[in-house]
Each structure stands twice: as C-alpha cells, then as structure tokens.
Amino acid sequence: WKAAWKSRGWNPVVLGPLDVMKHPKYKAFRAAVSAFPTVNPKTYELVCYLRWLALSYVGGGLMVDYDVIPGTLFPKDIAELRKSDKLQPFQCRPGSAVPSAMLAPKGALAKWIVAMQSYSGPVGQEAGRAHLSDQAILNQQLDQDWVDATHGLVKEFGEDGWAGAQLVHFAAGACAK
C-alpha cells in the first residue's frame, strides 16, 4: 500500500490508535458510536468510525482505506479540490457515497464527526439485523452544504473502467467475485 502511494508522488502516513486516543472527543465519540448496531464485528465497525478522529487529530487531509490503491492519481490531480472546505468522498454515484477515499479538510471533518456522534436518524437492515455504519451516516449527510459528493475518482475492482481509474478500491466483496 505504502509503496503504491509513494510511487505516485504521495507521502502516505498510517494513523493508529494513539492518534485516535489523543483526540479531545475520543471518549464521548467512542461511547456514542459503540452503541450503534452492526452486523459486522464490533471492533471492525468501531475502527471505521474512529479513523475520522485520527484524521482530525492530525489536521485533516486525504484519507484512503488500506484497500484503495492509486491508479493514475497524482497529488497535482487534486490540487483544485484541496482548495474546497467541503468533505469530498471520492467513491460516489448519484445519491450514494462510499468513504473509501475522502478529502476531509479540518472544518468539514469537525462537522462530519459531530454528525456521526449525534446521529439519531434511520437505522438500516442487513440480513434482517439492524445495521449502522459511517457509510450509512455519510449517505444521510450528502445534502449538507459541507459535503460535495460529485467526484467519482474511485472505481471498484471489476467495475467498468477500473483498470484505468485514478483510484481503485479492492473491496472484499468485489474481489470475491
């Protein structure tokens, strides 16, 4: 992962538990999101939420999942997007977004964290069980003025155009196919 990002001119930084625990909202945020129902292992879902605190602690920036690899994306390609003060998920379709790669400036990231911590909206169902994820909450926030979900820079492995995409998401479900 690091080698792939470095090869495209990026300076990849892996954030960890210490970055999360140093965030001033850590305890309250963790308590809030830990109460959300999930069909996934609780630790997995918790890490999906806590990663945003780690990113906030270091001042925001481009966050990508461990299974997102740069195809043709170089730092210069998002120079204009970096000027925005909005949360910008890069794996988008009309009406939905996947937080696999997201440009998150500090101000919008703070709003995103509040939105997750205080979420009281609808809870979805998966396999007949209640489920809520950061992705589901993101999709409830797409109409907010601090979110810009118009960038389709990420293609999932196997999806049309993935081989020449700027970013490729090797999601477990796509790879299993």
Side-chain angles (χ1 to χ4, degrees):
W1 181 88
K2 267 187 157 180
W5 281 94
K6 282 183 179 185
S7 77
R8 300 298 190 269
W10 296 90
N11 179 29
V13 175
V14 176
L15 302 175
L18 292 179
D19 299 301
V20 174
M21 291 186 275
K22 290 177 185 174
H23 194 284
K25 292 185 177 182
Y26 171 71
K27 286 183 182 177
F29 183 85
R30 181 184 174 125
V33 301
S34 292
F36 295 154
T38 181
V39 298
N40 295 319
K42 281 294 227 181
T43 303
Y44 168 82
E45 206 68 60
L46 181 60
V47 169
C48 287
Y49 289 109
L50 293 178
R51 62 185 169 167
W52 304 109
L53 286 185
L55 186 61
S56 174
Y57 178 73
V58 298
L62 176 62
M63 190 290 305
V64 297
D65 284 353
Y66 70 93
D67 57 358
V68 174
I69 305 296
T72 62
L73 187 76
F74 292 86
K76 66 178 176 48
D77 298 332
I78 64 166
E80 281 301 309
L81 298 179
R82 285 182 182 273
K83 294 177 184 176
S84 172
D85 62 351
K86 296 184 178 195
L87 192 72
Q88 299 173 73
F90 288 165
Q91 188 171 352
C92 300
R93 292 196 171 115
S96 71
V98 176
S100 64
M102 192 148 46
L103 191 56
K106 193 171 187 172
L109 187 54
K111 292 175 183 175
W112 171 225
I113 288 168
V114 168
M116 286 184 285
Q117 184 173 352
S118 63
Y119 187 78
S120 62
V123 173
Q125 294 278 316
E126 281 193 30
R129 294 173 45 205
H131 178 70
L132 187 63
S133 64
D134 64 333
Q135 179 174 328
I137 296 172
L138 174 63
N139 283 303
Q140 294 294 320
Q141 307 300 314
L142 296 180
D143 63 347
Q144 298 296 315
D145 64 358
W146 48 269
V147 179
D148 175 7
T150 61
H151 309 293
L153 304 180
V154 177
K155 296 283 186 187
E156 202 165 269
F157 174 72
E159 180 181 7
D160 285 344
W162 77 269
Q166 289 181 292
L167 295 169
V168 180
H169 186 192
F170 289 90
C175 292
K177 293 177 187 175

